[in-house]
Amino acid sequence: MAENYDVIIIGSGPGGYIAAIRAAQLGLKTAIVEREHLAGICSNWGCIPTKALLRSAEVMHYAEHAKNYGLKIEGTVRADLKAVVDRSRGIAQRMNAGVGFLMKKNKVDVIWGEAKLTKANEIIVAKSSKKPMEPQAPLPKNTKGEGTYTAKHIIIATGARPRALPGIEPDGKLIWTYFEAMVPPEMPKSLLVMGSGAIGIEFASFYRTMGVDVTVVEVLPAVMPVEDAEISAFAKKQFEKQGMKILLEAKVAKVEKGANSITAHVELKDGKVEKITADRMISAVGVQGNIENLGLEALGVKTERGCIVIDGYGKTNVAGLYAIGDVAGPPMLAHKAEHEAVICVEKIAGLPNVHPMDKLKIPGCTYCNPQVASVGLTEAKAKAEGKDIRVGRFPFVANGKAIALGEDQGLVKTIFDKKTGQLLGAHMVGAEVTELIQGFVVAMNLETTEEELMHTIFPHPTLSEMMKESVLDAYGRALNA
């Protein structure tokens, strides 16, 4: 006889495990199904372990430039690649174990295996065809296995995987996805990165800082094309100063594989073809939702462009069935998945005043060097929507804390509605902007105007002072530039 729950979540990534915890907090009998690794891609092979790699590269950068800070380091600074990778994998295992602990703490049953929907309220869990990726923390004691399970509400949180272009599919040896890029057995001397979104540019930044000759190929006219054009152009100049080669409006048309290298045929804007040989290539052309083999077609679940179609509360077109996170479409970000999870579960539980997701207030962060962070409308988008705007800018080079840190290259940009003073968008490039952006996110959620931001006291000396100065500049009142 099938075991029954109030809520079953398929997938234990940021969306899935947060949904499980919130459901349990609200008194719902909850189970979560996982086939490969608790905590999903983000904690095991994405957000967290990549930041560990980037931190190692950052420390190496500072060590190599110790003289800029009045310090001497005798001898050559060298990276121990195995130790760098082992540190990153150890952190992933720690996050993995942490989610297992949270499931036990919140009395959420973990069902290990692959789930398939047979009805809107029923799944069959079979033995997983996936081998848990190492390192895998021990499973919590409240783990169950194969069988039939039912629930009043089933939430699909199966995430996404790297997209592959026909004819240029990753092979795990010469052409990498982010999986292989995080655990290189040896450091390549040269690397070609196809795609300059967050994943591509973060790996390009890591490998370049570690001394690899890096070329980035982007089909669109800007690196990190979703970002404000001014911020993107500033970042591109910094990448090129570091020795990165960037080809825009260019496309990898064909890849020839050698014994231990690849040769990419890159079509340039002017129609010419440039052949680029590199030891390895990273394919970073986006991700696609994991919607296959779930039984969606038989139930008539609506999908679009490889993702499940939902409303503002995670509901699909099939009663009792929901989707959250990457599998429910862009922006494909862990924090979007987490917030979506809470909205979905609270709506299921019947809580009052549950607000649907406002995607304009979802911050985006890229942890390259320099960092890039943003929220809301870009200047171009605001103009395209016919808004009459004020734009403020403040450079890192005029901020005392940035100068003291030796990080004086950057920019804070704010966009306001000229009539109402509403903050429409904020865009940053420079040191620690991924930490600063949340100040503007909070301001936007509170519907803060320029006047309230101007009357806010920012501590000195901090990088955050640039946020206020950018607001002041939008109104011709900047004090330090």
Side-chain angles (χ1 to χ4, degrees):
M1 188 174 178
E3 187 166 358
N4 187 52
Y5 291 88
D6 294 316
V7 178
I8 290 176
I9 300 108
I10 305 174
S12 72
Y17 86 76
I18 290 296
I21 291 170
R22 187 65 184 125
Q25 288 175 344
L26 292 171
L28 301 173
K29 185 182 178 184
T30 306
I32 194 164
V33 185
E34 179 53 58
R35 68 177 183 175
E36 200 164 0
H37 39 238
L38 287 173
I41 291 296
C42 177
S43 293
N44 289 277
W45 292 94
C47 318
I48 306 302
T50 55
K51 304 311 163 283
L53 294 177
L54 287 162
R55 178 61 168 169
S56 293
E58 181 183 36
V59 172
M60 182 170 175
H61 169 78
Y62 284 128
E64 289 177 333
H65 295 84
K67 65 179 181 180
N68 295 345
Y69 301 88
L71 304 173
K72 288 184 178 180
I73 295 179
E74 302 296 338
T76 303
V77 177
R78 293 185 299 110
D80 181 341
L81 181 60
K82 183 179 184 306
V84 169
V85 171
D86 285 349
R87 176 177 181 271
S88 172
R89 301 314 306 146
I91 289 168
Q93 184 179 29
R94 184 174 171 181
M95 299 300 296
N96 179 284
V99 170
F101 167 77
L102 289 171
M103 296 301 97
K104 180 180 178 182
K105 175 186 174 183
N106 289 279
K107 297 181 173 58
V108 174
D109 286 344
V110 175
I111 304 171
W112 199 258
E114 294 190 17
K116 186 168 185 176
L117 290 153
T118 50
K119 303 173 186 175
N121 67 335
E122 181 182 84
I123 60 170
I124 291 178
V125 178
K127 184 177 180 181
S128 176
S129 62
K130 298 280 186 179
K131 180 182 178 182
M133 295 182 179
E134 298 299 335
Q136 172 76 51
L139 294 174
K141 292 182 180 179
N142 55 328
T143 299
K144 301 187 176 184
E146 302 162 54
T148 301
Y149 301 87
T150 60
K152 298 174 186 175
H153 309 278
I154 295 178
I155 301 173
I156 301 169
T158 48
R161 64 187 184 278
R163 186 183 300 277
L165 296 183
I168 317 177
E169 293 87 356
D171 60 10
K173 181 188 176 185
L174 297 175
I175 303 177
W176 294 343
T177 66
Y178 53 76
F179 290 107
E180 294 83 20
M182 271 193 284
V183 289
E186 58 185 14
M187 191 63 75
K189 291 184 173 62
S190 56
L191 175 71
L192 182 122
V193 179
M194 182 173 62
S196 73
I199 293 173
I201 214 68
E202 283 186 4
F203 277 116
S205 191
F206 167 72
Y207 279 98
R208 181 66 204 117
T209 304
M210 300 298 277
V212 177
D213 181 11
V214 174
T215 299
V216 177
V217 177
E218 171 59 55
V219 71
L220 294 173
V223 292
M224 296 177 287
V226 301
E227 300 295 342
D228 182 89
E230 193 172 355
I231 299 298
S232 172
F234 189 104
K236 177 177 179 286
K237 287 182 180 178
Q238 297 304 309
F239 298 149
E240 289 173 333
K241 282 182 181 178
Q242 296 162 15
M244 203 181 290
K245 183 179 179 182
I246 298 175
L247 300 176
L248 300 177
E249 296 182 86
K251 182 178 77 171
V252 177
K254 183 173 71 172
V255 174
E256 296 173 349
K257 296 180 181 180
N260 199 31
S261 66
I262 61 97
T263 298
H265 294 238
V266 180
E267 294 181 358
L268 305 177
K269 182 181 179 181
D270 60 8
K272 294 179 181 178
V273 174
E274 180 177 343
K275 292 184 180 181
I276 301 173
T277 298
D279 291 345
R280 297 293 181 270
M281 173 175 164
I282 296 177
S283 175
V285 291
V287 297
Q288 62 189 73
N290 292 320
I291 62 173
E292 298 84 3
N293 304 316
L294 289 170
L296 302 181
E297 299 85 356
L299 294 178
V301 178
K302 187 177 180 181
T303 62
E304 192 174 274
R305 296 182 180 180
C307 295
I308 298 172
V309 177
I310 60 170
D311 68 4
Y313 302 98
K315 293 181 181 178
T316 71
N317 62 309
V318 176
L321 198 59
Y322 311 78
I324 59 173
D326 289 0
V327 76
M332 293 178 173
L333 301 167
H335 44 279
K336 174 256 195 182
E338 291 181 357
H339 193 71
E340 214 165 30
V342 172
I343 290 171
C344 181
V345 169
E346 290 185 349
K347 193 69 173 177
I348 286 171
L351 267 62
N353 304 315
V354 180
H355 299 288
M357 175 80 75
D358 183 351
K359 292 187 177 182
L360 271 179
K361 294 174 183 173
I362 301 174
C365 296
T366 306
Y367 299 81
C368 44
N369 179 25
Q371 294 181 5
V372 174
S374 61
V375 65
L377 298 177
T378 64
E379 182 178 357
K381 183 68 173 176
K383 289 178 178 177
E385 291 186 5
K387 297 184 183 296
D388 192 9
I389 61 174
R390 286 180 177 270
V391 179
R393 301 171 180 84
F394 195 83
F396 272 53
V397 74
N399 176 262
K401 180 67 179 291
I403 295 169
L405 290 174
E407 299 286 357
D408 64 354
Q409 293 301 301
L411 177 69
V412 177
K413 179 176 180 178
T414 45
I415 301 163
F416 291 89
D417 185 293
K418 187 179 287 187
K419 183 178 180 180
T420 66
Q422 179 189 3
L423 177 62
L424 300 174
H427 308 273
M428 304 175 169
V429 56
E432 300 305 326
V433 297
T434 57
E435 299 291 340
L436 297 178
I437 193 63
Q438 190 59 21
F440 283 132
V441 179
V442 171
M444 289 179 70
N445 272 277
L446 294 176
E447 299 181 353
T448 304
T449 65
E450 92 290 352
E451 186 175 352
E452 290 163 324
L453 285 166
M454 288 179 185
H455 284 118
T456 301
I457 299 172
F458 286 72
H460 175 79
T462 63
L463 297 175
S464 68
E465 291 174 279
M466 292 184 286
M467 298 166 67
K468 180 175 181 177
E469 288 281 3
S470 178
V471 175
L472 290 169
D473 182 64
Y475 290 81
R477 294 172 53 181
L479 298 171
N480 287 284

